[in-house]
Amino acid sequence: MRVRLVVTFVVVALISAVTATALAYRDARTAVLQRTQNAAVNDLRDRVGVVAADVDLPPDERTLARFASKVSEGIGARIVVARYQDLSATSDTLAETEGRITSELRAAVRAGGGARFQRVEWRGEPYLVVGLPVTYADGDRRTSGLEVFAITGLRAERDDTAALLESVQAGIVPVVVLAAVLALLAAGTVLRPVRKLGRATRELATGDLGSRVAVRGHDELADLARTFNETADALQASDAELRAQEAKARRFVADVSHELRTPLAAMTMVATVLEEDADQLPPDAARAARTVGAETARLSRLVDDLMEISRFDAKAVRLNASVTDLADTVRASLALRGWTDRVTAELREGVRAVVDRRRVDVIVANLVGNALRHGAPPVTVTLAVDGGGDGGDGGEWVVLEVADHGPGLAPEARERVFDRFYKADAARTRSTGTGTDSGDSGDGGGQGSGLGMAIALENARLHGGMIEVGQRPSGGAVFTLRLPLRTGEEGE
């Protein structure tokens, strides 16, 4: 903006200076030429009036030459040409006049009506030619047939106007320089508060809600700074209120989850006893006992998921990392939940990394359980090592891909699949539930909590990785876990 402002100032100053120069040159040139023309016409008219009284008409060639010489002597020795019908005489017999007295000027003088003049260029030099018809003095103003032409050089006038133009042009440079200096000063005055406002806006955008700008003066920039400060105050107040409400909500979830664990433990024991004795109960009572057991287990999983999410929100989660064989970890996770026969595993052997084995198990359980529950067989789990990651750091990444052959996920579902409590579209549901299960409880047929994929993503981020969701060209969803391949003894 500083450059544009300076350029605008300079361009305006340059245009103004050039315009003023052009107007001054035009007016000065017009004034000089007008003065010369008036003087030439008046001098010729006065001198002809004096000399013409002694000329007998019609004149002979000698009389005509004497008349031209006398007129020339009285007007400053200008070249004078006298014409009478076919006769012509010049005050300077060596001067060439035909090229300087044009036919247009002769015709205008012959037509009468007073003095006529014309500026001509002859051999690179400017001249003023004044023509005057000699009239009778008896009052009828009829022409006598005698015509007088005076040729005056305009070199001096041309040099004067050229010198004036050069002097005015020389003044353009200081004017432009002064305009540039003034533009820089104005730009500094105007743009300094704008830069400060821009800096404060960037600080505000990066999360520094305490950023403010000083308000000086009562102009538009001061109003803008004042408005910015008021906006920042309102934003800071809203942010503080939202943070307080969010903290209260998190504490509420954590407290409720914690308080539910004790009665849930008792309910789980009772439900377990009822399920064990269900075969000895009447059919309706047995069905009710099994339903109570299943729902109690589901409620227990939901409470566990809420506790886990609350720990992530409170930044109270830490990795218990150690060097782990990832292929063995994946196989153990599948075997623990009885999925070995339902999943095709293509696992690269010997892939060892520093990870939290329990949290990797949670991620695998969520991704595979989601594919089994909402996709269609065959479900494949692939473990590989990628030489380059999305981070662009050139390091190696562990890549775990879980794919199914179901209907896949709609674009809007892919964008929200990791949102908390988000339930996938019914088109991707194979059981009575429609949600994405947490995966910790196996492939149960009940409705999931909607927290499983969010917990999986949080665990991946805790390792410095990510989970991506995509679509197979032939149909089916693909979830890809990427973890940095750290092989040293690291822990968090």
Side-chain angles (χ1 to χ4, degrees):
M1 187 173 178
R2 176 190 293 271
V3 174
R4 292 198 297 268
L5 188 59
V6 172
V7 170
T8 301
F9 264 75
V10 171
V11 169
V12 170
L14 185 61
I15 292 175
S16 301
V18 170
T19 303
T21 300
L23 293 175
Y25 174 74
R26 185 195 65 181
D27 293 343
R29 182 173 180 270
T30 301
V32 170
L33 293 177
Q34 188 69 40
R35 185 176 64 250
T36 302
Q37 291 166 185
N38 293 339
V41 171
N42 293 333
D43 290 346
L44 181 61
R45 183 183 292 114
D46 294 342
R47 186 60 181 171
V48 168
V50 173
V51 177
D54 299 331
V55 178
D56 296 329
L57 297 177
D60 55 18
E61 189 170 350
R62 179 179 296 178
T63 302
L64 204 58
R66 187 168 56 254
F67 172 73
S69 297
K70 289 183 178 181
V71 172
S72 175
E73 293 171 358
I75 59 175
R78 298 188 183 100
I79 300 174
V80 175
V81 178
R83 299 175 62 88
Y84 183 83
Q85 296 181 356
D86 295 334
L87 296 178
S88 177
T90 306
S91 61
D92 186 354
T93 57
L94 300 179
E96 183 178 347
T97 60
E98 291 299 322
R100 286 178 274 188
I101 304 175
T102 64
S103 58
E104 293 85 355
L105 181 60
R106 291 171 182 165
V109 172
R110 189 175 299 117
R116 296 289 186 272
F117 63 87
Q118 184 179 38
R119 290 192 296 272
V120 298
E121 190 84 13
W122 185 71
R123 294 182 180 178
E125 295 292 334
Y127 292 92
L128 174 65
V129 182
V130 180
L132 181 69
V134 178
T135 59
Y136 291 102
D138 56 1
D140 60 6
R141 310 301 296 173
R142 290 184 298 109
T143 59
S144 63
L146 180 62
E147 301 167 356
V148 184
F149 298 89
I151 302 174
T152 304
L154 296 177
R155 175 184 291 182
E157 287 76 7
R158 181 191 63 184
D159 294 342
D160 291 342
T161 55
L164 176 63
L165 179 61
E166 291 177 359
S167 63
V168 175
Q169 287 176 338
I172 292 178
V173 175
V175 169
V176 172
V177 172
L178 180 60
V181 173
L182 293 177
L184 288 173
L185 295 176
T189 303
V190 174
L191 297 182
R192 189 177 299 110
V194 174
R195 286 196 301 270
K196 291 180 180 179
L197 185 61
R199 188 183 307 112
T201 303
R202 288 190 294 271
E203 293 173 354
L204 195 67
T206 56
D208 183 8
L209 300 184
S211 179
R212 300 292 185 274
V213 293
V215 179
R216 294 186 177 88
H218 302 280
D219 56 6
E220 289 80 0
L221 290 175
D223 292 340
L224 181 60
R226 193 176 296 107
T227 302
F228 172 83
N229 291 340
E230 293 172 356
T231 303
D233 290 339
L235 183 61
Q236 189 174 28
S238 298
D239 179 75
E241 183 179 357
L242 289 175
R243 288 180 183 273
Q245 292 178 356
E246 184 180 10
K248 290 180 181 179
R250 289 174 178 174
R251 284 197 301 271
F252 175 78
V253 171
D255 293 344
V256 169
S257 301
H258 180 75
E259 293 298 326
L260 285 176
R261 298 192 75 174
T262 300
L264 269 176
M267 292 172 60
T268 301
M269 287 191 302
V270 173
T272 302
V273 172
L274 290 175
E275 283 189 290
E276 290 176 353
D277 297 337
D279 294 338
Q280 302 174 11
L281 299 174
D284 291 343
R287 188 162 45 253
R290 293 189 180 95
T291 300
V292 169
E295 291 303 317
T296 302
R298 178 174 175 273
L299 181 58
S300 179
R301 291 194 301 273
L302 176 59
V303 170
D304 289 340
D305 289 346
L306 287 173
M307 291 292 292
E308 184 74 359
I309 283 293
S310 65
R311 283 193 290 268
F312 277 113
D313 290 340
K315 310 296 182 184
V317 179
R318 296 292 183 269
L319 286 177
N320 184 19
S322 61
V323 179
T324 304
D325 188 306
L326 294 180
D328 290 343
T329 301
V330 174
R331 276 193 291 265
S333 181
L334 298 178
L336 179 64
R337 293 161 179 81
W339 292 341
T340 303
D341 296 335
R342 302 175 59 187
V343 175
T344 302
E346 300 175 0
L347 308 177
R348 176 173 170 174
E349 300 295 336
V351 180
R352 298 176 64 82
V354 178
V355 296
D356 187 325
R357 183 186 181 98
R358 184 186 69 82
R359 295 189 181 280
V360 172
D361 173 74
V362 171
I363 297 173
V364 173
N366 275 286
L367 297 183
V368 176
N370 186 72
L372 290 172
R373 186 173 301 103
H374 304 295
V379 174
T380 60
V381 179
T382 305
L383 177 66
V385 176
D386 187 3
D390 292 345
D393 54 7
E396 289 188 313
W397 290 68
V398 177
V399 180
L400 180 71
E401 184 179 279
V402 179
D404 64 66
H405 291 73
L409 285 167
E412 60 273 12
R414 289 199 295 271
E415 294 177 359
R416 299 188 56 197
V417 70
F418 296 107
D419 292 350
R420 298 176 184 183
F421 299 106
Y422 175 70
K423 301 298 181 68
D425 188 83
R428 191 171 153 75
T429 303
R430 297 174 56 236
S431 64
T432 58
T434 58
T436 301
D437 192 58
S438 67
D440 286 359
S441 62
D443 186 27
Q447 187 179 26
S449 66
L451 293 172
M453 300 307 290
I455 292 175
L457 180 60
E458 293 291 349
N459 279 305
R461 289 174 174 171
L462 195 62
H463 284 84
M466 69 201 75
I467 301 178
E468 301 167 346
V469 60
Q471 195 85 351
R472 293 167 55 93
S474 57
V478 180
F479 287 84
T480 305
L481 167 67
R482 291 181 177 273
L483 299 177
L485 182 59
R486 302 188 182 99
T487 57
E489 291 295 335
E490 304 177 32
E492 296 188 32

